[in-house]
């Protein structure tokens, strides 16, 4: 749309039932690509249902990191949306609340379990 500017925000969370392995750190590995595809599907479908949904353009999983426990994997993503002067300003607190609600109080993302204290949205 005319006058729209592409804006970005980061999304981070920890999955507690995906064991971190070093091949998850390698962007061209089969395991990275497979996990990236699944995470992108879950994240994109959540954000499309959120208040930024009509303006949401997609997310890119930027990495997987080792969590505190053996079965924990931290997920990092950068997401984009079209911002326009006529739209309400991006509200990361509101988006956090929506994502929290849609993930059963930050406990479930599809068939994955989440660390309740791990969700982070940064605009």
């Amino acid at each position: 749309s005319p006058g729209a500017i592409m804006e970005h925000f980061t999304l981070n969370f920890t999955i507690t039932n995906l064991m971190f392995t070093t091949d998850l750190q390698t962007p061209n590995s089969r395991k990275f690509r497979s996990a990236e595809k699944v995470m992108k599907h879950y994240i994109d479908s959540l954000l499309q249902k959120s208040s930024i949904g009509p303006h949401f353009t997609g997310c890119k999983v930027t990495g997987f990191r080792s969590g505190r426990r053996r079965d924990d994997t931290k997920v990092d993503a950068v997401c984009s949306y079209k911002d326009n002067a006529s739209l309400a300003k991006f509200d990361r607190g509101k988006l956090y609340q929506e994502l929290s609600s849609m993930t059963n109080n930050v406990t479930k993302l599809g068939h994955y379990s989440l660390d309740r204290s791990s969700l982070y949205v940064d605009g």
Side-chain angles (χ1 to χ4, degrees), residues 31-79:
K31 189 157 187 177
F32 179 95
R33 288 192 314 263
S34 175
E36 174 189 38
K37 185 178 180 179
V38 171
M39 286 303 118
K40 182 173 173 27
H41 166 76
Y42 285 137
I43 295 167
D44 285 358
S45 64
L46 277 179
L47 289 169
Q48 287 168 349
K49 297 174 193 168
S50 75
S51 60
I52 69 163
H55 314 289
F56 175 68
T57 59
C59 288
K60 176 172 177 33
V61 175
T62 56
F64 297 98
R65 297 178 285 127
S66 176
R68 280 180 281 197
R69 292 181 291 278
R70 186 176 129 103
D71 290 338
D72 290 0
T73 298
K74 295 176 182 254
V75 180
D76 302 319
V78 174
C79 304

Side-chain angles (χ1 to χ4, degrees), residues 5-9 57 79-84 89-90 123:
I5 299 168
M6 192 68 71
E7 297 285 349
H8 306 283
F9 64 94
T57 59
C79 304
S80 304
Y81 65 98
K82 290 181 181 170
D83 193 8
N84 186 309
K89 198 70 186 144
F90 177 78

Side-chain angles (χ1 to χ4, degrees), residues 6 10 20 22 33 35 43 47 50 70 91-92 95 99 104 106 116:
M6 192 68 71
T10 57
F20 179 80
T22 54
R33 288 192 314 263
I43 295 167
L47 289 169
S50 75
R70 186 176 129 103
D91 184 342
R92 74 181 182 137
L95 183 58
L99 294 177
N104 197 26
V106 194
R116 286 185 79 156

